[in-house]
Amino acid sequence: MFDFKMPLTDALAVSLIGISTVILILAIIALLIILVSKIIRAIENAANRKKAVAAPEQTATAPTGVPMPAGMNQGELELVDTDEKTAAIIMAIVSDKSGIPLNRLSFKSIKLMEDK
């Protein structure tokens, strides 16, 4: 029905133009995706900064566990080569980092380690 003959050089030129067009369009789409991604990330970072400024740091609050009734504790503490002030600081740090109220923690002993 159709008897369309094209020389080999023309056929190669048409296919080269077609392939080049497809690759160029794909590259443009990839650049658009990267650009939109950076714009969205910048907007999210700006929103996160606004939230951080609006809400003060919440990690400075007291531990969230349920404290025991006043006057109750978990037992005795043995201090080995450690003064009470240092032991109190260590226990407060453990309580803060773990989120467990200090009177819910049970310390058996605190021992000073010598530097070697």
Side-chain angles (χ1 to χ4, degrees):
M1 181 170 198
F2 291 106
D3 191 23
F4 184 78
K5 298 219 179 201
M6 181 185 288
L8 181 61
T9 55
D10 289 346
L12 288 175
V14 168
S15 63
L16 183 62
I17 290 171
I19 291 172
S20 299
T21 304
V22 169
I23 290 175
L24 180 67
I25 299 294
L26 288 175
I28 290 171
I29 292 172
L31 290 175
L32 286 174
I33 290 172
I34 291 171
L35 181 67
V36 169
S37 172
K38 287 185 179 187
I39 291 171
I40 291 173
R41 191 172 299 128
I43 292 170
E44 287 178 349
N45 287 341
N48 288 340
R49 275 189 242 122
K50 284 182 182 178
K51 285 181 184 177
V53 169
E57 189 174 324
Q58 296 178 0
T59 58
T61 61
T64 59
V66 178
M68 292 177 69
M72 293 185 69
N73 60 21
Q74 290 287 340
E76 299 286 322
L77 171 64
E78 178 185 0
L79 299 179
V80 180
D81 297 330
T82 305
D83 62 336
E84 289 183 6
K85 183 179 177 183
T86 304
I89 292 172
I90 291 170
M91 292 187 295
I93 291 171
V94 170
S95 173
D96 182 57
K97 295 294 181 184
S98 66
I100 301 171
L102 192 55
N103 64 352
R104 286 279 181 189
L105 291 173
S106 177
F107 293 90
K108 302 292 182 191
S109 67
I110 296 177
K111 180 178 180 181
L112 177 67
M113 302 292 290
E114 296 294 327
D115 291 331
K116 292 184 181 181

